[in-house]
Amino acid sequence: MQIQVVKSKIHRVRVTGAKLNYIGSITIDEDLMEAANIIQGEKVQIVNNDNGERLETYCIPGPRNSGEITLNGAAARKVAVGDTLILITYAFMDIEKAKVFKPSLVFPDEATNLLK
């Protein structure tokens, strides 16, 4: 049997941009993506702590050490610059592997979105 478990989490980052006229996705500082073991194009669940919105999209890398967290396309309507988000990815795995699996958890500086 396989189950879905949390693979990665970037906890409490601020939205730095919202670009409605874009194909779609979320742009994430590449340093944060690497630290959280998230790859380009991976599906990401976005939880907005300020308005309760939850949505899914795919991620694209932003400039390293920029702190960029930009919602693109329709997702831009679900956030405001300055909102606090939690970004989560999931993976399917065998239940026995899941029992010992340790997700990549990242807790950036809340003021800058940069790694501490």
Side-chain angles (χ1 to χ4, degrees):
M1 173 174 35
Q2 289 206 325
I3 62 170
Q4 192 173 25
V5 297
V6 173
K7 179 183 100 30
S8 309
K9 180 166 104 170
I10 302 174
H11 191 74
R12 297 185 62 84
V13 286
R14 276 181 317 99
V15 174
T16 60
K19 296 180 181 174
L20 182 59
N21 295 313
Y22 191 88
I23 296 169
S25 70
I26 181 171
T27 305
I28 303 171
D29 177 325
E30 194 166 3
D31 286 340
L32 293 174
M33 286 178 60
E34 236 174 50
N37 194 27
I38 298 172
I39 63 168
Q40 182 173 344
E42 186 169 358
K43 182 166 83 170
V44 178
Q45 180 182 41
I46 300 164
V47 180
N48 187 327
N49 284 359
D50 291 294
N51 65 18
E53 289 282 354
R54 289 177 173 257
L55 62 122
E56 293 178 340
T57 190
Y58 63 94
C59 63
I60 58 174
R64 287 185 179 278
N65 201 39
S66 65
E68 182 176 357
I69 302 291
T70 300
L71 278 291
N72 303 304
R77 294 197 182 276
K78 303 290 188 177
V79 300
V81 171
D83 281 359
T84 300
L85 308 180
I86 298 170
L87 311 176
I88 309 163
T89 67
Y90 300 89
F92 287 98
M93 63 185 67
D94 292 329
I95 194 163
E96 292 306 316
K97 278 189 177 180
K99 288 178 182 179
V100 297
F101 177 76
K102 302 290 184 231
S104 298
L105 306 176
V106 177
F107 299 89
D109 180 285
E110 290 187 38
T112 64
N113 292 342
L114 300 177
L115 295 172
K116 294 181 186 179

